[in-house]
Amino acid sequence: MTVHFIGAGPGAADLLTLRAVRLLQQSPVCLYAGTYLDAAVLAHCPDGAELVDTQRLDLDTITAHLVSAHEAGKDVARLCSGDPSVYSAIAEQTRRLDRAGVAWDVTPGVPAYAATAAVLGRELTVPEVAQTVVLTRAQRDSTAMPPGEQLATYAATGATLVLHLAIRHTRRLAAELAEYYGADCPVAVGSQVSQPEELILRGTLADIADRVEEHGLRQAAVIIVGRALGTGDFVESHLYGNRVRGLGAPEA
């Protein structure tokens, strides 16, 4: 039997991949993060499926559920918010499953930052404005950041920053980032994007903290910072430029 780590996307049931839906329909056990997922996502599970909300469970308890289902001959859908490749803790879970001899696989999902950018109608890599996107998080009462991964290091490049697990520290982060991007740099915050409670806040590093606090955001939100969010003029890329590719010189 297999534990399927499935990216549930930002929370909307219709943003799951076809593969994710198929695996959910075939798995009699589903562990999910109730803090982040729209209940409609669970409607893809089969009738009578065992549903386990993991938001208050520690890693040992979660692992015990996965191993128990495996021993009972049942496939498990382990739903992760967003995409499992970013801040999903699957590295910790799969290491334990390997030790227990439990097979597993991973199905990608729509990342929260991509869903937020879609609602904003913005590309995060704009020609000659920003060509790099950095996915990172805040450091405070959480696991220590590795040496060299300071926020200032990334901000100094001018890249588009995507901050996860950081909404409670918006004011401190905005003040820090303003030193590199300028206080007028555009910022967007996406909370529960694609869900009925979706909230998009737009502002600058000078005022975004006020807006976040006004709406009482404390979790399930992503912060995007960068000039690519602006509406100013920019040059066009060579992607669709008028040139002949791979055909040699044009005929006279």
Side-chain angles (χ1 to χ4, degrees):
M1 296 296 102
T2 304
V3 173
H4 305 290
F5 290 91
I6 300 172
D14 61 352
L15 280 179
L16 291 170
T17 65
L18 293 175
R19 180 185 299 177
V21 171
R22 175 175 56 80
L23 291 174
L24 279 172
Q25 292 172 338
Q26 295 175 354
S27 298
V29 179
C30 176
L31 276 68
Y32 66 99
T35 305
Y36 301 102
L37 298 181
D38 189 320
V41 172
L42 300 179
H44 291 301
C45 296
D47 292 339
E50 178 185 354
L51 305 178
V52 180
D53 187 348
T54 62
Q55 63 177 308
R56 293 183 176 86
L57 303 184
D58 60 24
L59 188 56
D60 286 336
T61 305
I62 291 171
T63 303
H65 277 289
L66 299 177
V67 173
S68 176
H70 170 76
E71 292 175 344
K74 299 177 180 179
D75 280 349
V76 181
R78 175 66 173 111
L79 283 171
C80 310
S81 60
D83 180 78
S85 67
V86 181
Y87 305 119
S88 67
I90 69 166
E92 303 161 48
Q93 295 172 73
T94 56
R95 179 170 61 182
R96 291 178 177 231
L97 292 179
D98 287 341
R99 292 171 181 167
V102 177
W104 54 271
D105 57 30
V106 180
T107 296
V110 176
Y113 77 88
T116 301
V119 175
L120 292 169
R122 287 287 181 269
E123 182 180 354
L124 303 184
T125 53
V126 175
E128 297 190 11
V129 176
Q131 291 289 282
T132 302
V133 178
V134 176
L135 310 179
T136 188
R137 65 169 175 82
Q139 167 65 58
R140 182 57 70 89
D141 300 323
S142 57
T143 307
M145 294 290 282
E149 291 195 18
Q150 286 76 34
L151 193 59
T153 302
Y154 304 126
T157 69
T160 302
L161 281 185
V162 176
L163 298 170
H164 293 265
L165 309 173
I167 196 65
R168 299 187 183 189
H169 310 295
T170 303
R171 187 168 296 280
R172 172 176 62 85
L173 295 172
E176 180 179 347
L177 294 174
E179 298 181 17
Y180 299 91
Y181 292 92
D184 64 339
C185 180
V187 182
V189 172
S191 173
Q192 295 181 289
V193 175
S194 81
Q195 300 183 42
E197 301 81 6
E198 174 182 287
L199 176 65
I200 298 291
L201 302 179
R202 306 169 195 248
T204 66
L205 287 172
D207 61 19
I208 195 63
D210 292 335
R211 299 189 181 193
V212 166
E213 292 170 6
E214 175 187 351
H215 287 85
L217 297 184
R218 301 287 293 171
Q219 61 184 12
V222 63
I223 305 170
I224 304 178
V225 181
R227 295 289 173 184
L229 297 178
T231 57
D233 293 333
F234 58 89
V235 301
E236 294 188 352
S237 69
H238 293 287
L239 182 62
Y240 297 111
N242 294 322
R243 56 178 179 168
V244 179
R245 297 183 180 85
L247 299 179
E251 296 182 359

